[in-house]
C-alpha cells in the first residue's frame, strides 16, 4: 500500500481499501495533485464515489473498478452535469416523451413503449469519457474541474439508432445538423441550456443511438434515465442525458455548448505551447487513444518476480486498438501485451503482459496504438482546457 501521498494515483489505492472496508461517513481521499481532496459518498443507485461537486453532481469512479473487467458497472459509472438543479426531477419512463422536430416531413412525439415496439433494438459496447478526464494532472494547471482518471466508463448500450428515428420523420434535403436536448433546463436566463449538435450525416451514420438500457438494465437516473444519446467514439459531452428533443436544423448548431464551450485547438495534436491560447478552435470530437495500468498503482510495492503480471484497459475513438506495449524501464524497451476479448471497436480492450520485476524500483509505462495508427505520446500535450489528455503515464512500483 502506498504511503507517499504525492505519488500519482497512489491514494486511489487507499480509496479502494477504504471502500472495501465499507465507506463510513466523513471519508475522503486525496488525489495526487493540488486541492485533490475528495469526499467519498453514495448517491442513488451508486456505490461510494469520489465527489468533485455535489451541486451539480460530478462523481468519479474509484479507479480500482477498472481492474475488474472491460465493462464498468452501472453503480460505479461516473457522473457529470453542468446545470444547477440536476438531475432533473420527476423523470418517469412511463410518461417520458421523445420529440423529433425541425426540418422533417413528419414531426414525431414518441413514448418509450413506441421506441421499443416500432424501432429495431441495437446494442453496442462503447466508452464514455469526459473531455477533461485526468485534467488534474495537467501541468501547468488549468481552470475547470480538477479530475482524476475516473471520469470514464465502458458499457453495453441498448436502444434505437438515430437514423431509424430520422428516417421515420423524413429529413428534408435542406437538413444540415441535428440538435439534442435533455430534460435539464437552466434555472437562470443567463445560463445556456445544455444542447449539443452533430452534423446530419454523423447523426444518421447508423451508430449514433438513443439508449434506454445500460449493461442490461434501465439507465441509472444519474446516467441519463430514461433515454440518452450515445455517440460512439466521441467524448462524453455529446452523450446528452434525459433526452427529450431532436431538432433537425438547416444550419450548424448555435448552442453555447458547441460554439463557446468544449472547443479544442484546431490542429492535429489539439495542443498549443503550455500557457498559450489557441488562435483557432473547433468543437471537440473523437476520443484520443489511451491506456491505463489497472492492477498496479503509482508508489505501490509489488512482489519481485521474473514474470510479473501487469494488466489494464485501452481504447480509442473507434478504429480499435491494434496493440499495447509495456515498458518496465521508463520507456527504453517495450514488450508487446496480449489483448483480451474484442467487444467491438468502441469498447475498452483489456490487455496484459508479463515483465521481469527484479528487486528495486521500476517505471512501468503502457502505450496503446490504434488501428488508425495513433500512438500515445510519451510527453503530455497541453491545451487551455486540458482536454483529450492521453500521455503514456509512468507508474512507479517498488519490487520487494
Ligand atoms: N442532459 C445532460 N447531458 C449531459 C451532460 C449534462 O450536463 N446534461 N453532460 C455531458 C458530459 S460533459 C459528459 S462527460 C457526459 C457524462 O455522462 P455520465 O454522467 O453518464 O457519466 O454526459 C453528457 N451529457
Ligand atoms: Mo464531460
Amino acid at each position: 500500500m502506498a504511503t507517499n501521498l504525492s505519488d500519482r494515483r497512489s491514494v486511489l489505492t487507499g480509496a479502494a481499501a477504504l471502500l472495501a472496508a465499507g465507506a463510513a461517513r466523513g471519508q475522503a481521499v486525496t488525489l495526487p495533485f493540488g486541492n485533490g481532496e475528495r469526499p467519498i459518498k453514495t448517491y442513488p443507485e451508486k456505490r461510494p464515489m469520489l465527489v468533485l461537486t455535489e451541486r451539480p453532481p460530478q462523481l468519479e469512479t474509484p479507479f480500482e473498478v477498472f481492474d475488474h473487467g472491460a465493462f464498468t458497472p452501472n453503480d460505479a459509472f461516473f457522473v457529470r452535469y453542468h446545470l444547477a438543479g440536476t438531475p432533473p426531477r420527476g423523470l418517469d419512463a412511463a410518461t417520458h416523451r421523445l420529440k423529433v422536430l425541425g426540418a422533417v416531413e413528419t414531426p414525431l412525439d414518441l413514448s418509450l413503449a413506441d421506441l421499443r415496439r416500432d424501432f429495431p433494438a441495437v446494442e453496442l459496447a462503447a466508452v464514455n469519457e469526459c473531455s477533461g478526464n485526468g485534467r488534474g494532472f495537467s501541468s501547468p494547471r488549468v481552470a475547470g474541474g480538477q479530475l482524476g482518471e475516473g471520469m470514464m466508463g465502458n458499457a453495453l448500450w441498448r436502444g434505437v439508432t438515430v437514423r431509424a428515428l430520422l428516417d421515420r420523420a423524413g429529413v428534408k434535403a435542406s437538413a444540415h445538423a441535428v440538435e439534442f436536448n435533455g430534460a435539464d433546463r437552466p434555472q437562470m436566463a443567463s445560463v445556456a441550456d445544455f444542447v449539443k449538435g452533430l452534423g446530419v450525416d454523423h447523426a444518421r451514420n447508423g451508430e449514433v443511438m438513443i439508449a434506454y438500457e445500460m449493461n442490461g438494465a434501465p439507465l441509472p437516473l444519474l446516467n441519463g434515465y430514461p433515454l440518452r444519446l450515445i455517440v460512439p467514439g466521441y467524448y462524453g459531452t455529446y452523450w446528452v442525458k434525459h433526452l427529450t428533443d431532436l431538432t433537425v436544423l438547416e444550419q450548424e448548431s448555435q448552442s453555447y455548448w458547441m460554439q463557446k464551450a468544449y472547443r479544442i485547438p484546431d490542429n492535429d495534436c489539439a495542443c498549443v505551447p503550455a500557457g498559450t491560447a489557441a488562435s483557432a478552435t473547433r468543437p471537440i470530437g473523437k476520443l484520443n487513444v489511451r491506456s491505463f495500468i489497472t492492477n498496479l498503482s503509482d508508489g505501490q510495492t509489488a512482489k519481485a518476480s521474473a514474470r510479473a503480471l501487469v494488466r489494464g484497459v485501452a481504447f480509442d475513438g473507434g478504429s480499435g486498438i491494434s496493440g499495447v506495449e509495456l515498458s518496465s524501464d521508463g520507456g527504453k524497451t517495450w514488450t508487446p501485451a496480449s489483448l483480451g476479448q474484442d467487444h467491438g471497436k468502441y469498447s475498452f480492450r483489456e490487455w496484459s503482459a508479463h515483465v521481469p520485476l527484479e528487486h528495486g524500483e521500476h517505471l512501468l509505462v503502457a502505450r496503446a496504438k490504434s488501428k488508425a495508427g495513433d500512438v500515445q505520446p510519451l510527453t503530455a500535450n497541453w491545451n487551455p482546457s486540458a482536454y483529450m489528455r492521453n500521455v503514456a503515464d509512468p507508474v512507479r512500483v517498488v519490487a520487494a
Side-chain angles (χ1 to χ4, degrees), residues 80 130-131 237 262:
R80 165 74 167 117
C130 185
S131 319
T237 179
Y262 286 104

Side-chain angles (χ1 to χ4, degrees), residues 231-316:
V231 187
Y234 276 63
Y235 279 98
T237 179
Y238 291 100
W239 297 40
V240 176
K241 301 192 276 190
H242 320 297
L243 193 64
T244 55
D245 298 87
L246 277 61
T247 307
V248 179
L249 305 177
E250 294 179 322
Q251 69 287 322
E252 76 175 36
S253 170
Q254 296 305 307
S255 166
Y256 169 89
W257 301 99
M258 294 301 297
Q259 296 294 337
K260 299 280 185 257
Y262 286 104
R263 297 183 71 92
I264 56 172
D266 189 13
N267 56 36
D268 281 351
C269 64
C271 67
V272 289
T276 67
S279 54
T281 64
R282 65 174 186 269
I284 197 168
K286 286 185 185 177
L287 301 177
N288 251 340
V289 62
R290 208 162 182 184
S291 66
F292 294 94
I293 292 170
T294 57
N295 70 323
L296 293 166
S297 53
D298 199 78
Q300 183 173 342
T301 300
K303 200 170 180 305
S305 162
R307 236 179 137 258
L309 172 70
V310 182
R311 66 174 175 241
V313 294
F315 61 94
D316 84 318

Side-chain angles (χ1 to χ4, degrees), residues 1-2 7 10 13 295-302 395-399:
M1 175 64 56
D7 283 343
S10 61
T13 308
N295 70 323
L296 293 166
S297 53
D298 199 78
Q300 183 173 342
T301 300
V395 170
R396 196 160 19 86
V397 298
V398 177

Side-chain angles (χ1 to χ4, degrees), residues 38-52:
R38 302 284 176 268
I40 297 174
K41 293 192 179 169
T42 55
Y43 276 72
E45 302 169 274
K46 295 288 169 187
R47 71 178 77 176
M49 302 279 281
L50 282 63
V51 180
L52 176 69

Side-chain angles (χ1 to χ4, degrees), residues 91-173:
L91 292 165
D92 182 351
T95 55
H96 192 81
R97 308 298 298 187
L98 179 67
K99 297 188 171 127
V100 181
L101 308 163
V104 294
E105 304 296 342
T106 316
L108 306 179
D109 181 347
L110 304 165
S111 67
L112 259 79
D114 296 334
L115 286 180
R116 286 183 183 269
R117 190 189 55 233
D118 296 344
F119 299 88
V122 291
E123 249 181 5
L124 184 86
V127 173
N128 173 7
E129 183 187 26
C130 185
S131 319
N133 189 31
R135 178 183 290 131
F137 293 102
S138 174
S139 172
R141 288 164 69 85
V142 302
Q146 299 301 302
L147 306 170
E149 292 170 331
M151 298 299 273
M152 61 176 185
N154 184 45
L156 184 65
W157 309 97
R158 184 179 174 84
V160 302
T161 65
V162 168
R163 178 162 71 193
L165 285 184
L166 292 179
D167 285 355
R168 181 70 54 93
V171 172
K172 292 191 175 165

